[in-house]
Amino acid sequence: MATQPLPTLQPPRRPRLLMRWYYWLLLAVVAAYGLAFAMHWDDRGVLWLRERFESPSVRQQSVWLPDYRAVIDAKLLPGMEKDEASDLSYDPQTKTLFSVMGKNPFLVELTLQGDVLRKMPLVGWVNPEGLTVMGNGLMAITDEREHMLSIIKVDADTRELNRDNFPKYDLGPSKNQNKAFEAIAWDPRNQQLLLGEERPPALFTWKSDGSQTLKGDKQKLVSNELDIRNLSALAIDPRTGHTLVLSADSHLLLELDEKGEQVSFMTLLGGFNGLNKTIPRAEGVTMDEAGTLYMVSEPNLFYRFEKQK
């Protein structure tokens, strides 16, 4: 009698649902790694750990951004919804703030509480993005689209400013012509302007005696500390001389010491540092002699941060 062949045992198939679960998990891991890399969360993690072990004396000698909390959170600048606040600078002589609007060019003077004092149209500017107070009524403005730097004079009677009436300096080409010189800050200790390219982030200096005349040409600063997605604004702390670097895309404010090394940082995400909501697009930052921190965000939001004792 012929024998029947034994049935071949088939290995059990994995349910399709389980295979899909592994696939989506792998995809989520890859996406999370890509996001962490783009946002430099690994670098922020290292800096966060370093901050935990810094001595009280080091913290006291720096700005120390983790201690700051928002006391004015997203205050609206009236009538500027379509103007795009682009930068902010503190004037120690008038005890007021000046902000530049990039979309519809004008200069606005604000109180330290974010109230509007006056608006001054900027005639001849195309896309003013950077602003810094140099003292004695002098201010420097960068026009990102024109690759131009102007040093203007503002007094209590100023109602309008025409670019043709002031000295202009060519900033030269940038690696990314559409993401050029967006940030500027006056460094009185070193008698120079500090310039920032938006993307890829880079720092430059340009010597000056504090007048409307610049010396020589700008010089690039070699730095590997700018692990941010873009550079939106710069400020110099008048007490320590440390540099504050703002990044809208990274939702981050970074503190660099006089050697250009990272000291501390502050995230601009909702739920941190007293913020109810994430700052939409932080474009300007400045600090006064008391250590109070001010920011503006597109389109027309004002922030004030104070250090908690």
Side-chain angles (χ1 to χ4, degrees), residues 27-255:
L27 189 62
V29 170
V30 171
Y33 176 80
L35 181 62
F37 179 80
M39 298 292 286
H40 298 279
W41 287 346
D42 52 342
D43 299 306
R44 296 288 77 78
V46 171
L47 184 55
W48 183 84
L49 287 174
R50 282 170 48 192
E51 286 179 346
R52 307 281 76 75
F53 294 99
E54 291 289 5
S55 66
S57 62
V58 170
R59 299 186 183 195
Q60 195 171 22
Q61 294 168 11
S62 65
V63 177
W64 204 252
L65 294 169
D67 288 347
Y68 278 80
R69 297 292 179 272
V71 294
I72 298 179
D73 187 357
K75 180 177 181 177
L76 292 173
L77 298 176
M80 303 182 202
E81 296 82 3
K82 299 180 181 179
D83 296 316
E84 295 185 357
S86 295
D87 205 354
L88 187 68
S89 190
Y90 171 73
D91 189 333
Q93 293 178 308
T94 61
K95 308 295 183 184
T96 59
L97 301 164
F98 287 86
S99 181
V100 67
M101 301 292 151
K103 190 173 183 179
N104 300 304
F106 66 87
L107 187 68
V108 58
E109 186 175 10
L110 306 167
T111 69
L112 301 184
Q113 302 299 321
D115 298 318
V116 178
L117 296 173
R118 56 173 168 163
K119 299 178 183 179
M120 295 158 276
L122 294 174
V123 180
W125 279 269
V126 178
N127 184 222
E129 287 288 340
L131 169 72
T132 188
V133 172
M134 300 175 65
N136 299 316
L138 294 180
M139 303 181 194
I141 297 177
T142 59
D143 192 315
E144 186 178 25
R145 195 170 303 166
E146 295 281 292
H147 298 259
M148 192 74 67
L149 185 156
S150 304
I151 300 181
I152 64 174
K153 179 79 172 179
V154 179
D155 59 32
D157 298 322
T158 302
R159 293 295 176 265
E160 182 179 280
L161 295 149
N162 191 310
R163 195 176 73 169
D164 291 338
N165 296 333
F166 303 102
K168 298 181 287 292
Y169 297 89
D170 186 0
L171 291 170
S174 298
K175 187 173 182 180
N176 187 334
Q177 290 291 87
N178 296 321
K179 301 292 181 181
F181 288 92
E182 179 159 339
I184 189 169
W186 171 241
D187 182 357
R189 294 190 181 193
N190 296 303
Q191 289 289 286
Q192 62 187 12
L193 287 168
L194 183 64
L195 295 156
E197 275 189 309
E198 182 182 3
R199 188 179 291 124
L203 294 174
F204 295 78
T205 59
W206 203 331
K207 289 294 183 180
S208 169
D209 58 3
S211 69
Q212 290 180 295
T213 302
L214 299 182
K215 300 177 180 179
D217 200 357
K218 67 181 190 298
Q219 303 295 321
K220 186 172 184 177
L221 293 178
V222 179
S223 174
N224 58 1
E225 299 291 305
L226 298 176
D227 45 12
I228 48 180
R229 296 179 64 192
N230 80 315
L231 197 161
S232 302
L234 295 166
I236 303 293
D237 174 21
R239 304 161 305 157
T240 64
H242 288 190
T243 301
L244 299 177
V245 182
L246 183 65
S247 174
D249 290 351
S250 296
H251 298 291
L252 183 77
L253 182 64
L254 188 64
E255 177 189 2

